[in-house]
């Protein structure tokens, strides 16, 4: 059973704080093992990739090849169901259109002192995309990571995906093909991250690595951060549904379960001002669980981490929601927009009864790579800006240097940086 | 003497690659020591801060207090030189004006299918600002880190700065006061980062930590990344000056030394198409070094890491510059803008003979926190966006759900996520 909280009970504050502090993942300390793997790949290149893949993925890359060939990709595409490929292409088109609107503008201006200032956005040259293997190999995630990079203008996207027992998911290859991924390598784990960061004989190094992975992949990204850029380190996923009593309990239950089925560490939370409705949703969850293919995972997630929070008024919801800072927030109430306006920390907001979060996962057009585990307090979902960087531009003429120079000299001297001061003074004959 | 390369020699490619690979910092492996410090602060809070400060900073915070009082700040301001305070205020005004232009716009639109998409930018609630102690305590850095946060709308900025032997730099406190820093704590090192990330009895936790520091601070930021956001991990600083033979060698030499005086690991590079001019700059550097207050540091940097690259034509410069991806790039040539247009990877570009980089360090208005050590290939200088995050917004009505739903169901089923598919199907009575 999920935990039940009510804002009107005297111990709510205490219990809500404890709830926020719940650890949903055992953090494995794999940093040392990962450091060794990374060093090995740096030293031995392809040979290390082949050795690690033999051990961890039971696959012989010396025979099979590290790189997936265009022929293999083409063969995989022919294996895929036509209707699924069509859905993938539909999703791809919508994701691309939406992300094209995120392209930033470069520009310059001249300020009152005559100083010219500005910035210019340019794409990262080469990006590595990590795709998990096994059951978590999702073609939709390939689109969500590769499309913003393509839209940003990244010239080279290199994808790595482990091939346990030699097997790759054909739909993952089809999605990569659709999104314009340039190179695909059948390696995974910390060794794949190391190869992308430092390069091997077969894999040229990239400048930034994105994509989700297990504890080893996360630790490897943390390890190579600085040498290359990385995206956020993904944690377990969550949804918060704020709903009033006028909603269909079955719809809300379905949304809670769509989150719970991801992972036993996933979290589904309902907030409502109607205790009877809360009971109805809980009953609907139980009913729907019975016929769910992934019922074991969903049941464990719901029982361990699920929560139902009732309150006197939905007016209380935004403040509580901000403390959770949910990755996904559904607001399904009569005056949803009024609540939306009051939310500050959320990865994505899904508004109204006809926007289940699964629409955003696949075909809404917005990105499904979102900040998890309360990190929406300080970070954003993946987007085009993550694959670009900004160069700032400054230009003074003699007059501007005369106007600004004395203050720069004063500060340089105050900081004990005499050469800084001199580089200005020498131009002003001071 | 700096290394000299010429693109016309047969071994240039090889030597340039070796030059790019030069390690300028011994990377200290302090990860384990830092992990212990962080854990200690999480467990024991203020008591750990007091103990570590006694050991590392030789200061008794149990007596002196962890928090710097408003009275201490006011007293520090009165100690500062009036002309320096005026220069600081001038810099503050220019930095604020420029950063105000970086505020992003939120927005929504309705696409051809009638789906409403959008995003909303909001500020991070609370930010921690790390300021190094000792000689590297720069008031200008306080402004460069705090002002973008203020402009973004951050409600709480908590600054930490070590007080070795109890001493704080009055100008650093004055800069914090000017920039509107809300709280100042006299703690530094990994223990200060841990306190900001997890909180203690005295220091409330923040959502993001920015600011430069030594190897321990960098490792601590890497360690707490995920629990809080962090900015980039700063490496040694560098400047590349691209100049033609028509320039004043003394001005160029001064700019190279302004970089070299920062740190023995700093790097100053000149690229020119005029070998005689290169000789003149090298001679000017030698002359100017003699009278430089920080000549020992600058000499070591110039001798160890300085470089002068001559070439047949400045046309070769942009491609070589992009491989260096310099933090600071000065372009001082006749047709500088033509070269500027061809640069892809640089933290900041300073255009023309009257824009020495030191102007950008203090009073230009742009930020001086820039990507170092080749990280301009994948990251940007600090700005307002670093203190904000984007919430994506999606809204479908019944008609849009009917149009998009079937593709979402197909993809959910293809990924084996039955509850995802059901959350859409149940609304469409499928």
């Amino acid at each position: 059973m999920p935990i039940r909280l009510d804002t009107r009970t005297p111990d709510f504050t205490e219990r809500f704080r404890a709830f926020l502090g719940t650890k949903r993942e055992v953090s494995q300390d794999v940093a040392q093992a990962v450091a060794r793997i990374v060093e090995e790949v740096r030293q031995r290149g392809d040979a290390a990739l082949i050795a690690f893949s033999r051990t961890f993925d039971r696959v012989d890359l010396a025979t099979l090849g590290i790189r997936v060939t265009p022929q293999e990709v083409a063969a995989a595409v022919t294996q895929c169901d036509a209707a699924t490929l069509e859905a993938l292409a539909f999703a791809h088109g919508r994701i691309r259109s939406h992300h094209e609107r995120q392209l930033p503008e470069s520009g310059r201006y001249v300020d009152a002192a005559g100083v010219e200032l500005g910035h210019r956005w340019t794409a990262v040259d080469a990006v590595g995309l990590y795709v998990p293997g096994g059951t978590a190999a999702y073609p939709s995630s390939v689109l969500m990571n590769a499309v913003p990079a393509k839209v940003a203008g990244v010239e080279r996207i290199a994808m790595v995906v482990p091939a346990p027992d030699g097997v790759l998911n054909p739909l993952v290859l089809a999605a990569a093909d659709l999104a314009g991924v340039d190179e695909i390598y059948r390696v995974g784990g910390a060794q794949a991250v190391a190869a992308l960061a430092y390069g091997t004989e077969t894999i040229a190094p990239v400048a930034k690595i994105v994509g989700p992975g297990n504890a080893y992949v996360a630790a490897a990204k943390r390890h190579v951060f600085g040498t290359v850029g990385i995206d956020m380190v993904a944690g377990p996923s969550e949804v918060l549904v704020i709903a009033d009593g006028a909603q269909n309990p079955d719809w809300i239950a379905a949304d809670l379960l769509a989150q719970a089925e991801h992972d036993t560490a996933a979290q589904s939370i309902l907030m409502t001002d109607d205790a009877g409705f809360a009971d109805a949703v809980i009953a609907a969850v139980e009913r729907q669980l019975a016929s769910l293919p992934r019922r074991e995972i969903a049941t464990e997630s719901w029982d361990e981490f699920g929560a139902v929070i009732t309150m006197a008024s939905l007016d209380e919801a935004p403040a509580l929601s901000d403390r959770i800072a949910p990755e996904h927030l559904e607001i399904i109430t009569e005056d949803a927009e009024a609540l939306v306006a009051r939310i500050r920390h959320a990865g994505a907001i899904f508004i109204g009864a006809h926007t289940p979060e699964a629409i955003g996962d696949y075909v809404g057009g917005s990105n499904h790579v979102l900040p998890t585990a309360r990190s929406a307090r300080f970070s954003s979902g993946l987007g085009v800006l993550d694959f670009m960087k900004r160069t700032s531009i400054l230009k003074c003429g003699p007059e501007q240097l005369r106007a600004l120079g004395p203050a720069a000299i004063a500060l340089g001297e105050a900081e004990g940086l005499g050469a800084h001061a001199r580089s200005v003074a020498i131009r002003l004959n001071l």
Side-chain angles (χ1 to χ4, degrees), chain A:
Chain A
M1 288 301 287
I3 186 175
R4 291 200 64 163
L5 302 172
D6 188 293
T7 59
R8 289 159 289 194
T9 56
D11 60 352
F12 174 76
T13 307
E14 188 63 33
R15 291 188 66 204
F16 187 69
R17 187 183 300 129
F19 169 70
L20 284 181
T22 310
K23 267 215 169 299
R24 287 191 279 141
E25 255 186 347
V26 185
S27 72
Q28 290 177 263
D29 190 6
V30 298
Q32 281 190 285
V34 162
R36 278 193 299 270
I37 292 170
V38 171
E39 200 44 43
E40 188 83 1
V41 172
R42 282 187 78 171
Q43 298 296 329
R44 298 180 52 229
D46 285 348
L49 292 184
I50 290 167
F52 285 126
S53 297
R54 195 172 281 139
T55 307
F56 297 132
D57 297 331
R58 303 162 303 279
V59 60
D60 180 14
L61 297 188
T63 309
L64 208 54
I66 292 171
R67 184 160 179 179
V68 178
T69 65
Q71 292 74 28
E72 288 177 276
V73 175
V77 173
T78 63
Q79 275 183 262
C80 297
D81 171 64
T84 310
L85 285 181
E86 205 180 311
L88 211 55
F90 178 74
H92 177 253
R94 288 193 56 85
I95 297 163
R96 191 168 57 187
S97 300
H98 177 66
H99 285 78
E100 278 167 356
R101 291 177 166 257
Q102 294 179 356
L103 276 166
E105 278 180 34
S106 300
R108 294 204 207 174
Y109 68 96
V110 176
D111 73 9
V115 178
E116 193 170 336
L117 295 115
H119 64 271
R120 190 169 58 196
W121 289 96
T122 46
V124 174
D125 275 345
V127 164
L129 164 53
Y130 191 94
V131 176
T135 56
Y138 295 134
S140 60
S141 288
V142 174
L143 296 184
M144 293 293 181
N145 281 279
V147 171
K150 275 310 246 200
V151 169
V154 173
E155 286 174 3
R156 175 177 165 248
I157 304 177
M159 179 174 123
V160 292
V161 53
D165 301 305
V167 178
L168 291 170
N169 179 337
L171 269 177
V172 163
L173 298 185
D177 191 45
L178 189 63
V181 167
D182 300 286
E183 304 158 16
I184 306 175
Y185 302 97
R186 64 186 118 230
V187 284
Q191 60 272 22
V193 173
L196 290 170
Y198 295 106
T200 70
E201 297 89 331
T202 301
I203 306 179
V206 301
K208 182 157 186 170
I209 300 175
V210 300
N214 63 18
Y216 285 82
V217 172
K221 282 165 66 181
R222 199 183 283 265
H223 187 93
V224 301
F225 173 53
T227 299
V228 296
I230 62 169
D231 62 351
M232 62 194 109
V233 175
S237 186
E238 69 270 336
V239 71
L240 165 61
V241 182
I242 302 176
D244 60 28
Q247 306 309 317
N248 182 328
D250 273 315
W251 295 13
I252 305 302
D255 295 356
L256 296 170
L257 286 173
Q259 189 61 40
E261 76 170 341
H262 264 298
D263 184 346
T264 54
Q267 182 165 56
S268 303
I269 308 167
L270 170 67
M271 279 188 190
T272 181
D273 58 349
D274 184 326
F277 177 73
D279 293 334
V281 171
I282 291 172
V285 166
E286 297 300 330
R287 264 198 318 276
Q288 292 186 27
L289 266 173
S291 60
L292 201 62
R294 291 166 71 90
R295 71 179 148 275
E296 285 182 24
I297 292 169
T299 302
E300 188 172 338
S301 157
W302 179 241
D303 285 349
E304 286 289 314
F305 302 115
V308 174
I309 303 173
T310 44
M311 48 188 59
S313 156
L314 288 178
D315 195 49
E316 302 170 63
L320 294 178
S321 174
D322 273 351
R323 288 183 62 193
I324 295 170
E327 179 189 13
H328 306 104
L329 173 59
E330 291 187 0
I331 302 188
I332 312 183
T333 61
E334 198 184 355
D335 190 5
E337 291 286 0
L339 290 177
V340 171
R342 292 171 57 198
I343 297 295
R344 298 192 53 200
H345 310 310
I349 305 178
F350 304 86
I351 306 173
H354 296 91
T355 319
E357 187 253 307
I359 287 290
D361 278 344
Y362 294 121
V363 292
S366 48
N367 209 291
H368 80 198
V369 180
L370 295 165
T372 56
R374 305 191 66 211
S375 63
R377 292 172 299 128
F378 54 80
S379 60
S380 311
L382 198 69
V384 170
L385 291 187
D386 292 298
F387 299 99
M388 303 187 80
K389 63 269 182 332
R390 200 181 58 230
T391 297
S392 77
I393 290 168
L394 190 64
K395 187 177 184 176
C396 293
E399 195 186 329
Q400 289 74 45
L401 189 64
R402 273 194 300 275
L404 271 56
I409 294 170
L411 291 170
E413 283 172 353
E415 292 189 349
L417 297 175
H420 279 62
R422 184 192 280 165
S423 71
V424 176
I426 201 170
R427 287 164 158 95
L428 298 174
N429 294 312
L430 295 176

